[in-house]
Amino acid sequence: AQSVAQPEDQVNVAEGNPLTVKCTYSVSGNPYLFWYVQYPNRGLQFLLKYITGDNLVKGSYGFEAEFNKSQTSFHLKKPSALVSDSALYFCAVNHGGYQKVTFGTGTKLQVIP
Amino acid sequence: DVKVTQSSRYLVKRTGEKVFLECVQDMDHENMFWYRQDPGLGLRLIYFSYDVKMKEKGDIPEGYSVSREKKERFSLILESASTNQTSMYLCASSLWAGQSENEQYFGPGTRLTVT
């Protein structure tokens, strides 16, 4: 079985400050980890993924995520938040050879001007 | 760019009606998925398909069926709509390369209300 947890329903951050959206996972074998973003009234958009290699993954719109195997975490980060980053963020996990992806419950990011 | 389109953005149906939600992708992806999205529950997989005429149950298949007659098209069917199927429905597709490292591309969603 595989699962992913996003412990925070909402994260508030001031514009210009660094942001972190947390994600932890549980999977047997090596994980494939993803972050998606959903802007209001839109479908989900892919941000970045970790498959193998460097633990720090860079993605779209200046976002990055750090894979930590010992803590089974894959937190999303950005050095300086923009108001336009306000959206719903989903973490997702699966493992090699398994086509079903499990999504977290989502974290609403609110960037305050 | 990958494009995934869904037949309706908003749909209102009555209890007991048969409902069809259509999804089309234009990137020759093998995998296609149907999810429902509810506040506080995230995305839950209803069904997915990895090839024409092939389907696999997801986590919440009860009350739904699917059809994939052509590679680019994946339909979700509510045989007899009920109020607890009021939700946002998202279709997605992805490339299958023997491993599951490929990201999914999502359509804009269909907000279904069953009254």
Side-chain angles (χ1 to χ4, degrees), chain A residues 36 38 41 49 95 98-99, chain B residues 9 31 37 100 103-104:
Chain A
Y36 292 85
Q38 186 179 38
N41 301 313
K49 65 183 176 184
H95 61 273
Y98 191 59
Q99 291 160 291
Chain B
R9 291 299 302 272
N31 294 338
Q37 181 181 4
S100 46
E103 60 272 21
Q104 295 183 16

Side-chain angles (χ1 to χ4, degrees), chain A residues 29-83:
Chain A
N30 292 322
Y32 295 157
L33 293 154
F34 305 82
W35 276 103
Y36 292 85
V37 60
Q38 186 179 38
Y39 298 103
N41 301 313
R42 308 260 303 265
L44 274 71
Q45 296 177 35
F46 168 73
L47 268 182
L48 52 78
K49 65 183 176 184
Y50 171 83
I51 304 303
T52 187
D54 195 348
N55 289 344
L56 186 64
V57 178
K58 294 190 184 296
S60 306
Y61 312 122
F63 284 93
E64 57 189 28
E66 186 167 13
F67 171 64
N68 187 317
K69 189 171 184 178
S70 62
Q71 296 187 4
T72 61
S73 67
F74 189 56
H75 300 331
L76 181 70
K77 300 182 181 186
K78 188 173 182 182
S80 179
L82 300 172
V83 172

Side-chain angles (χ1 to χ4, degrees), chain B:
Chain B
D1 276 354
V2 176
K3 202 166 197 179
V4 180
T5 56
Q6 295 183 229
S7 50
S8 305
R9 291 299 302 272
Y10 300 94
L11 211 51
V12 180
K13 295 291 181 182
R14 294 196 180 276
T15 301
E17 279 192 83
K18 191 168 185 175
V19 182
F20 294 86
L21 302 182
E22 300 277 323
C23 175
V24 177
Q25 51 95 2
D26 66 358
M27 282 302 291
D28 204 34
H29 284 173
E30 291 83 3
N31 294 338
M32 295 189 75
F33 307 82
W34 274 107
Y35 296 90
R36 63 177 283 176
Q37 181 181 4
D38 300 288
L41 298 177
L43 271 71
R44 292 180 291 167
L45 181 64
I46 304 171
Y47 269 96
F48 75 98
S49 169
Y50 53 89
D51 201 351
V52 174
K53 297 191 185 296
M54 306 303 288
K55 60 185 179 184
E56 291 278 345
K57 290 181 180 179
D59 300 316
I60 52 164
E62 297 79 17
Y64 303 95
S65 62
V66 290
S67 172
R68 193 167 180 199
E69 297 296 319
K70 293 185 177 181
K71 191 175 184 180
E72 68 271 18
R73 190 179 297 268
F74 192 35
S75 302
L76 179 69
I77 303 150
L78 286 66
E79 296 289 344
S80 177
S82 63
T83 54
N84 63 13
Q85 293 178 309
T86 291
S87 186
M88 171 71 87
Y89 290 87
L90 295 173
C91 176
S93 72
S94 71
L95 198 59
W96 171 249
Q99 293 290 329
S100 46
E101 73 268 27
N102 293 310
E103 60 272 21
Q104 295 183 16
Y105 293 85
F106 284 82
T110 296
R111 185 165 294 282
L112 173 67
T113 302
V114 182
T115 60

